[in-house]
Amino acid sequence: MAYDLQLTNVYKTYDNGTPAVIDFNLDVEKGEFIAFLGPSGCGKSTTLRMISGFETITSGDLMIRGKRVNDQLPEKRPTSMIFQNYALFPHMNVRQNVLFGLEVKNMPRDQANRKVDEILEKLGLSAIANMPTARLSGGQRQRIALARSLVVEPDILLLDEPLGALDANLRKSIQNELKLLQRDLGITFVFVTHAQSEALALSDRIVVMNAGRIEQISPPRELYTRPCSQFVARFIGSNTILPGTVVGQEDGNVILQTAFGHLTGANRAGVDVHAGREMSIILPAEAVDLVPADVPEDEMRANFGSNAISCTIEKLQIVGHIMHMIVRFADGNQINVEGHVDKYRDRLKAGSRAFVAWNPSNATVIDN
Ligand code: ADP
């Protein structure tokens, strides 16, 4: 398999001794949209800067299209980078800003002008080509930064929190544009963000980082429904974490002894699960079924096995077609559950007793 981008055992330790990136491994296919997601300081930007060449690599290999580029200068790499503040030149107009990248490469004038026209057209900037950038809106400035990075026809576009400076509505519409543009161009995007909604909406795969290390690399849906670590389970989505001790396995599911009795969840492939191991069931909010307490026990067993925790509906609110509920377990812990009103209306009331139940295949058992 020929990859566009490969990082193999990449480490970065800054001169002051800060270990910013630890044993980073990632293979990216051409045309993939990859997001680096994680809390501030986890090493996302450092990794992106190593790919661009603006930061040196302490050890490991960085390959672009099969060629080791660890020591290649940024301008020699087939990458282009968009910074959070866009770094536009305020004294130049839109066209001059976009042209700049091609002038640096000494491209003949005619050819450069043609390429600039094309990209301005593609990004809907032709009408403002002669305006100074300082007077333009956040969305327009964002698009100019995109045009400037794309006009050089990079193999890989690197984006460092490019939507961070925009307000929520504009962010959403530019997100959509960005995704369409990426599909249209078919080039590889590597995108840094600390906003999970952005990463989930845009990417083919998400690399979740924590304290310099990769926690998990998965497509958005898998990350959401099958977190592999406690960190990911807490950081992504809305999961209930039920700790316990393994007592056995049944039909590919793991049975844990927990504070609520025996509960089960799916085993992840390749995990050695032996009796006595301390593990947790990760139950995504989307997997929770709230069942009224008067449903007969045999019906409950048929649908959910032993996976039912007695609870009380503390609060209940209907917003549009969604019912939001806060439920409390006997140990005092609360979780939020939501579902379509058609499913729950007339069956559940504030103050009533119910069961939090789930199909074991929709929950995942992971290490503590
Ligand atoms: P993120 O992009 O996830 O917020 P960074 O890659 O910026 O994280 O930073 C990772 C770690 O490296 C942090 O501890 C940060 O303080 C440190 N760091 C970043 N840049 C430098 C630098 N130029 N010199 C020393 N330490 C740095």
Side-chain angles (χ1 to χ4, degrees), residues 14 16 18 20 39-47 49 55:
Y14 283 105
N16 63 6
T18 305
S40 180
C42 71
K44 307 180 293 293
S45 297
T46 300
T47 308
R49 290 203 303 269
E55 195 61 73

PDB file of all heavy atoms in Angstrom, residues 14 16 18 20 39-47 49 55, ligand 1:
ATOM      1  N   TYR A  14      11.345  18.804  23.267  1.00  0.00           N
ATOM      2  CA  TYR A  14      11.860  20.167  23.082  1.00  0.00           C
ATOM      3  C   TYR A  14      13.168  20.346  23.857  1.00  0.00           C
ATOM      4  O   TYR A  14      13.469  19.560  24.773  1.00  0.00           O
ATOM      5  CB  TYR A  14      10.824  21.196  23.539  1.00  0.00           C
ATOM      6  CG  TYR A  14       9.708  21.387  22.524  1.00  0.00           C
ATOM      7  CD1 TYR A  14       8.441  20.853  22.741  1.00  0.00           C
ATOM      8  CD2 TYR A  14       9.931  22.085  21.337  1.00  0.00           C
ATOM      9  CE1 TYR A  14       7.422  21.016  21.810  1.00  0.00           C
ATOM     10  CE2 TYR A  14       8.921  22.241  20.394  1.00  0.00           C
ATOM     11  CZ  TYR A  14       7.678  21.711  20.634  1.00  0.00           C
ATOM     12  OH  TYR A  14       6.689  21.868  19.705  1.00  0.00           O
ATOM     13  N   ASN A  16      14.027  22.239  26.100  1.00  0.00           N
ATOM     14  CA  ASN A  16      13.886  22.408  27.555  1.00  0.00           C
ATOM     15  C   ASN A  16      13.501  21.086  28.243  1.00  0.00           C
ATOM     16  O   ASN A  16      13.198  21.053  29.420  1.00  0.00           O
ATOM     17  CB  ASN A  16      12.846  23.490  27.872  1.00  0.00           C
ATOM     18  CG  ASN A  16      11.447  23.118  27.386  1.00  0.00           C
ATOM     19  OD1 ASN A  16      11.219  22.002  26.917  1.00  0.00           O
ATOM     20  ND2 ASN A  16      10.514  24.040  27.494  1.00  0.00           N
ATOM     21  N   THR A  18      10.851  19.108  27.489  1.00  0.00           N
ATOM     22  CA  THR A  18       9.423  18.736  27.417  1.00  0.00           C
ATOM     23  C   THR A  18       9.205  17.624  26.391  1.00  0.00           C
ATOM     24  O   THR A  18       9.484  17.814  25.202  1.00  0.00           O
ATOM     25  CB  THR A  18       8.562  19.951  26.982  1.00  0.00           C
ATOM     26  OG1 THR A  18       8.814  21.024  27.868  1.00  0.00           O
ATOM     27  CG2 THR A  18       7.067  19.607  26.993  1.00  0.00           C
ATOM     28  N   ALA A  20       6.979  16.302  24.084  1.00  0.00           N
ATOM     29  CA  ALA A  20       5.708  16.776  23.526  1.00  0.00           C
ATOM     30  C   ALA A  20       4.989  15.694  22.729  1.00  0.00           C
ATOM     31  O   ALA A  20       3.763  15.638  22.723  1.00  0.00           O
ATOM     32  CB  ALA A  20       5.955  17.990  22.635  1.00  0.00           C
ATOM     33  N   PRO A  39      -6.964  17.478  24.258  1.00  0.00           N
ATOM     34  CA  PRO A  39      -6.955  18.707  25.043  1.00  0.00           C
ATOM     35  C   PRO A  39      -5.713  19.549  24.754  1.00  0.00           C
ATOM     36  O   PRO A  39      -4.739  19.045  24.195  1.00  0.00           O
ATOM     37  CB  PRO A  39      -6.945  18.204  26.492  1.00  0.00           C
ATOM     38  CG  PRO A  39      -6.462  16.798  26.426  1.00  0.00           C
ATOM     39  CD  PRO A  39      -6.799  16.272  25.067  1.00  0.00           C
ATOM     40  N   SER A  40      -5.769  20.791  25.128  1.00  0.00           N
ATOM     41  CA  SER A  40      -4.666  21.713  24.915  1.00  0.00           C
ATOM     42  C   SER A  40      -3.381  21.139  25.514  1.00  0.00           C
ATOM     43  O   SER A  40      -3.388  20.596  26.616  1.00  0.00           O
ATOM     44  CB  SER A  40      -5.036  23.032  25.591  1.00  0.00           C
ATOM     45  OG  SER A  40      -4.005  23.934  25.402  1.00  0.00           O
ATOM     46  N   GLY A  41      -2.295  21.202  24.747  1.00  0.00           N
ATOM     47  CA  GLY A  41      -0.997  20.756  25.255  1.00  0.00           C
ATOM     48  C   GLY A  41      -0.710  19.283  25.042  1.00  0.00           C
ATOM     49  O   GLY A  41       0.317  18.777  25.485  1.00  0.00           O
ATOM     50  N   CYS A  42      -1.585  18.561  24.325  1.00  0.00           N
ATOM     51  CA  CYS A  42      -1.373  17.102  24.178  1.00  0.00           C
ATOM     52  C   CYS A  42      -0.416  16.761  23.038  1.00  0.00           C
ATOM     53  O   CYS A  42      -0.070  15.600  22.846  1.00  0.00           O
ATOM     54  CB  CYS A  42      -2.703  16.374  23.991  1.00  0.00           C
ATOM     55  SG  CYS A  42      -3.480  16.667  22.394  1.00  0.00           S
ATOM     56  N   GLY A  43      -0.007  17.771  22.243  1.00  0.00           N
ATOM     57  CA  GLY A  43       0.994  17.503  21.196  1.00  0.00           C
ATOM     58  C   GLY A  43       0.477  17.556  19.769  1.00  0.00           C
ATOM     59  O   GLY A  43       1.203  17.220  18.833  1.00  0.00           O
ATOM     60  N   LYS A  44      -0.754  18.036  19.579  1.00  0.00           N
ATOM     61  CA  LYS A  44      -1.348  18.071  18.238  1.00  0.00           C
ATOM     62  C   LYS A  44      -0.559  18.990  17.297  1.00  0.00           C
ATOM     63  O   LYS A  44      -0.165  18.590  16.213  1.00  0.00           O
ATOM     64  CB  LYS A  44      -2.816  18.579  18.301  1.00  0.00           C
ATOM     65  CG  LYS A  44      -3.710  17.844  19.256  1.00  0.00           C
ATOM     66  CD  LYS A  44      -5.126  18.411  19.241  1.00  0.00           C
ATOM     67  CE  LYS A  44      -5.265  19.831  19.781  1.00  0.00           C
ATOM     68  NZ  LYS A  44      -4.994  19.990  21.209  1.00  0.00           N
ATOM     69  N   SER A  45      -0.358  20.244  17.740  1.00  0.00           N
ATOM     70  CA  SER A  45       0.297  21.222  16.868  1.00  0.00           C
ATOM     71  C   SER A  45       1.754  20.847  16.626  1.00  0.00           C
ATOM     72  O   SER A  45       2.271  21.044  15.518  1.00  0.00           O
ATOM     73  CB  SER A  45       0.259  22.623  17.484  1.00  0.00           C
ATOM     74  OG  SER A  45      -1.062  23.028  17.615  1.00  0.00           O
ATOM     75  N   THR A  46       2.402  20.319  17.643  1.00  0.00           N
ATOM     76  CA  THR A  46       3.802  19.904  17.469  1.00  0.00           C
ATOM     77  C   THR A  46       3.884  18.855  16.363  1.00  0.00           C
ATOM     78  O   THR A  46       4.751  18.926  15.484  1.00  0.00           O
ATOM     79  CB  THR A  46       4.359  19.337  18.793  1.00  0.00           C
ATOM     80  OG1 THR A  46       4.289  20.362  19.781  1.00  0.00           O
ATOM     81  CG2 THR A  46       5.797  18.875  18.637  1.00  0.00           C
ATOM     82  N   THR A  47       2.970  17.894  16.376  1.00  0.00           N
ATOM     83  CA  THR A  47       2.977  16.843  15.347  1.00  0.00           C
ATOM     84  C   THR A  47       2.746  17.457  13.967  1.00  0.00           C
ATOM     85  O   THR A  47       3.438  17.135  13.002  1.00  0.00           O
ATOM     86  CB  THR A  47       1.895  15.785  15.656  1.00  0.00           C
ATOM     87  OG1 THR A  47       2.062  15.353  17.002  1.00  0.00           O
ATOM     88  CG2 THR A  47       2.006  14.596  14.720  1.00  0.00           C
ATOM     89  N   ARG A  49       3.364  20.502  13.032  1.00  0.00           N
ATOM     90  CA  ARG A  49       4.536  21.298  12.645  1.00  0.00           C
ATOM     91  C   ARG A  49       5.693  20.398  12.202  1.00  0.00           C
ATOM     92  O   ARG A  49       6.477  20.777  11.335  1.00  0.00           O
ATOM     93  CB  ARG A  49       4.960  22.227  13.785  1.00  0.00           C
ATOM     94  CG  ARG A  49       3.962  23.371  14.028  1.00  0.00           C
ATOM     95  CD  ARG A  49       4.617  24.553  14.728  1.00  0.00           C
ATOM     96  NE  ARG A  49       5.239  24.188  15.987  1.00  0.00           N
ATOM     97  CZ  ARG A  49       4.630  24.226  17.174  1.00  0.00           C
ATOM     98  NH1 ARG A  49       3.382  24.648  17.251  1.00  0.00           N
ATOM     99  NH2 ARG A  49       5.264  23.877  18.259  1.00  0.00           N
ATOM    100  N   GLU A  55       9.020  22.306  12.528  1.00  0.00           N
ATOM    101  CA  GLU A  55       9.580  21.814  13.791  1.00  0.00           C
ATOM    102  C   GLU A  55      10.432  20.602  13.472  1.00  0.00           C
ATOM    103  O   GLU A  55      10.074  19.811  12.585  1.00  0.00           O
ATOM    104  CB  GLU A  55       8.415  21.424  14.735  1.00  0.00           C
ATOM    105  CG  GLU A  55       8.792  21.231  16.148  1.00  0.00           C
ATOM    106  CD  GLU A  55       9.371  22.499  16.758  1.00  0.00           C
ATOM    107  OE1 GLU A  55       8.616  23.457  17.018  1.00  0.00           O
ATOM    108  OE2 GLU A  55      10.605  22.506  16.951  1.00  0.00           O
TER     109      GLU A  55
HETATM  110  P1  ADP B   1      -1.480  21.171  21.429  1.00  0.00           P
HETATM  111  O1  ADP B   1      -1.335  21.581  20.021  1.00  0.00           O
HETATM  112  O2  ADP B   1      -2.133  19.830  21.577  1.00  0.00           O
HETATM  113  O3  ADP B   1      -2.155  22.195  22.290  1.00  0.00           O
HETATM  114  P2  ADP B   1       1.396  21.487  21.547  1.00  0.00           P
HETATM  115  O4  ADP B   1       1.914  20.602  20.485  1.00  0.00           O
HETATM  116  O5  ADP B   1       1.309  22.943  21.258  1.00  0.00           O
HETATM  117  O6  ADP B   1      -0.020  20.947  22.051  1.00  0.00           O
HETATM  118  O7  ADP B   1       2.286  21.312  22.860  1.00  0.00           O
HETATM  119  C1  ADP B   1       2.665  20.044  23.376  1.00  0.00           C
HETATM  120  C2  ADP B   1       3.572  20.252  24.573  1.00  0.00           C
HETATM  121  O8  ADP B   1       4.806  20.839  24.145  1.00  0.00           O
HETATM  122  C3  ADP B   1       3.015  21.182  25.629  1.00  0.00           C
HETATM  123  O9  ADP B   1       3.448  20.741  26.887  1.00  0.00           O
HETATM  124  C4  ADP B   1       3.654  22.509  25.284  1.00  0.00           C
HETATM  125  O10 ADP B   1       3.763  23.324  26.434  1.00  0.00           O
HETATM  126  C5  ADP B   1       5.013  22.085  24.780  1.00  0.00           C
HETATM  127  N1  ADP B   1       5.591  23.011  23.779  1.00  0.00           N
HETATM  128  C6  ADP B   1       4.992  23.438  22.641  1.00  0.00           C
HETATM  129  N2  ADP B   1       5.823  24.248  21.937  1.00  0.00           N
HETATM  130  C7  ADP B   1       6.972  24.317  22.653  1.00  0.00           C
HETATM  131  C8  ADP B   1       8.241  24.995  22.465  1.00  0.00           C
HETATM  132  N3  ADP B   1       8.472  25.743  21.376  1.00  0.00           N
HETATM  133  N4  ADP B   1       9.177  24.834  23.423  1.00  0.00           N
HETATM  134  C9  ADP B   1       8.953  24.062  24.506  1.00  0.00           C
HETATM  135  N5  ADP B   1       7.819  23.409  24.753  1.00  0.00           N
HETATM  136  C10 ADP B   1       6.816  23.523  23.843  1.00  0.00           C
END
